[in-house]
Amino acid sequence: MAPMFLVLLLGISATLALEQRQNLTFPLAISTWSFVEAVRSARRALESGRSAVDAVVEGCSTCERLQCDGSVGYGGSPDESGETTLDAMVMDGTTMNAGAVGSLRFVKDAAMAAKLVLLHTEHTLLVGDQASKFAISMGLQGPVNLSTDESLGKTRSWVGNSCQPNFWKDVVPDSKLSCGPYHTSPPSPPLEAKLGCGGDSTSLSRGISSHNHDTISMAAIDKEGNIAVGTSTNGATHKIPGRVGDGPIAGAGAYADSEVGACGATGDGDVMMRFLPCYQVVESMRRGMTPQQAADDAIARIRRKYPDFVGALFAINRQLEHAGACHGWTFRYSVWSKGMDVVEVITVLPSD
């Protein structure tokens, strides 16, 4: 009787566990900003039974094609030379594998390139021309010109404005007054420092906004409860060529663990990547914090060191509780889950 009783208990437990999973309205897709079309694409993939990885790639790829906010895909955020390059990442929260590309040239499909790194290599991140060669060798279209008349026009206007603002510091000629080429400079005398000459540029002085320094960061939970995240961005406008931001860095631009939840970030990647905020968010939720508590705590840690930074993130746990936090701007994120007719856009006000 004892073995039969044990089998019965196990059967009841399995049934209850299944019912609990079904009560959680999987699948789900969530994204930074009002990128509703991207979330709809992820929704279609999830409803057709595809994996969370496939869904975030579909969503990010949609934003690349639509050039969301000019901050994702080709023809946006030119570097100093006028060239558009792309960063992207895909992370499988069940296997903890990730694939990413940075400073990708001549290939439009950055999210797909990141997925190819995930599926077909033992590496995590490929960069620059070699990442482009890899993507083309794996069947993606290229080489193609990622610049447009609009992006090249932005560069001409920027040069005509003495290359302001830019990302240089402590160089000659003075990067706040003129274009380069720049060289290293001797230390500034104390009087100059007191008068405010030289020094670091803050996020606000560079005019960071969702139109020039942004990312689509997306998370998806499929019908089986597996979680994945994906990112795609063309980086910071007028960045120094070769710059890679937080988007393709697992734990910085996004992070997922199917046992816990996920996080996606956006904003001043040069600052945010120094804190791995999405890794922190997921680990905070693992230790029992709610998504709101975890998101607020991650933003607060950055704000204490960089009070002028501009950034935001969303957090979601396995119970499908989600929240956002931001600093320096008003943030929006988009979410859909099973049973919802339309994608909901949620506004998050800065807490400071």
Side-chain angles (χ1 to χ4, degrees):
M1 291 296 293
M4 182 62 70
F5 182 68
L6 180 59
V7 169
L8 180 60
L9 283 178
L10 290 174
I12 293 173
S13 298
T15 301
L16 289 174
L18 177 60
E19 290 177 350
Q20 289 172 351
R21 288 198 301 271
Q22 290 173 339
N23 289 334
L24 294 175
T25 51
F26 297 157
L28 175 144
I30 184 171
S31 167
T32 52
W33 301 114
S34 304
F35 296 153
V36 173
E37 288 301 324
V39 175
R40 287 173 179 162
S41 292
R43 171 186 179 175
R44 288 191 290 271
L46 292 166
E47 288 188 318
S48 68
R50 298 176 66 188
S51 71
V53 167
D54 289 338
V56 295
V57 172
E58 287 294 323
C60 291
S61 296
T62 295
C63 243
E64 292 168 356
R65 291 190 293 271
L66 295 176
Q67 300 171 281
C68 288
D69 275 353
S71 62
V72 181
Y74 70 98
S77 301
D79 65 20
E80 288 187 339
S81 68
E83 182 180 3
T84 295
T85 57
L86 308 177
D87 298 340
M89 188 265 289
V90 181
M91 181 176 185
D92 183 334
T94 299
T95 65
M96 306 308 290
N97 290 336
V101 290
S103 199
L104 181 73
R105 308 175 72 199
F106 310 128
V107 175
K108 287 185 176 182
D109 302 311
M112 276 299 304
K115 182 181 177 182
L116 290 169
V117 175
L118 169 72
L119 294 179
H120 300 294
T121 81
E122 297 290 340
H123 300 309
T124 297
L125 174 63
L126 301 180
V127 298
D129 287 343
Q130 300 304 317
S132 304
K133 288 178 64 176
F134 165 81
I136 294 170
S137 74
M138 296 300 289
L140 297 185
Q141 183 181 1
V144 295
N145 187 358
L146 301 185
S147 297
T148 62
D149 290 342
E150 182 180 359
S151 65
L152 294 174
K154 286 183 180 179
T155 300
R156 288 192 293 269
S157 297
W158 177 72
V159 172
N161 190 41
S162 301
C163 302
Q164 303 302 307
N166 60 58
F167 292 88
W168 292 87
K169 64 179 184 180
D170 298 330
V171 291
V172 290
D174 189 340
S175 61
K176 293 180 177 59
L177 301 176
S178 65
C179 298
Y182 302 109
H183 306 282
T184 56
S185 63
S188 300
L191 179 60
E192 287 189 357
K194 291 179 181 179
L195 293 175
C197 300
D200 292 351
S201 298
T202 66
S203 298
L204 295 180
S205 71
R206 292 198 297 264
I208 289 174
S209 74
S210 61
H211 299 287
N212 64 12
H213 207 296
D214 192 30
T215 306
I216 178 172
S217 185
M218 173 174 278
I221 307 177
D222 62 27
K223 291 181 177 181
E224 304 302 320
N226 300 306
I227 305 177
V229 290
T231 68
S232 184
T233 180
N234 49 38
T237 304
H238 311 311
K239 57 186 172 284
I240 298 170
R243 180 263 190 185
V244 174
D246 63 326
I249 308 302
Y255 195 74
D257 186 330
S258 293
E259 297 178 357
V260 181
C263 167
T266 181
D268 188 344
D270 289 297
V271 170
M272 296 181 75
M273 69 193 299
R274 300 166 192 172
F275 292 82
L276 296 180
C278 277
Y279 174 79
Q280 180 195 322
V281 163
V282 173
E283 290 307 299
S284 293
M285 291 191 298
R286 189 193 308 277
R287 293 194 299 270
M289 283 191 185
T290 67
Q292 189 65 69
Q293 291 169 334
D296 287 340
D297 183 51
I299 291 293
R301 291 195 188 194
I302 304 173
R303 186 176 62 237
R304 284 196 291 271
K305 294 290 186 179
Y306 292 90
D308 293 324
F309 97 98
V310 177
L313 51 81
F314 68 76
I316 184 164
N317 62 17
R318 281 196 60 82
Q319 290 69 49
L320 305 189
E321 300 168 326
H322 52 82
C326 60
H327 179 73
W329 57 10
T330 297
F331 174 53
R332 291 176 178 84
Y333 68 91
S334 304
V335 63
W336 168 85
S337 64
K338 180 181 177 183
M340 293 175 59
D341 293 328
V342 298
V343 177
E344 182 180 1
V345 177
I346 295 172
T347 299
V348 180
L349 299 177
S351 57
D352 50 303

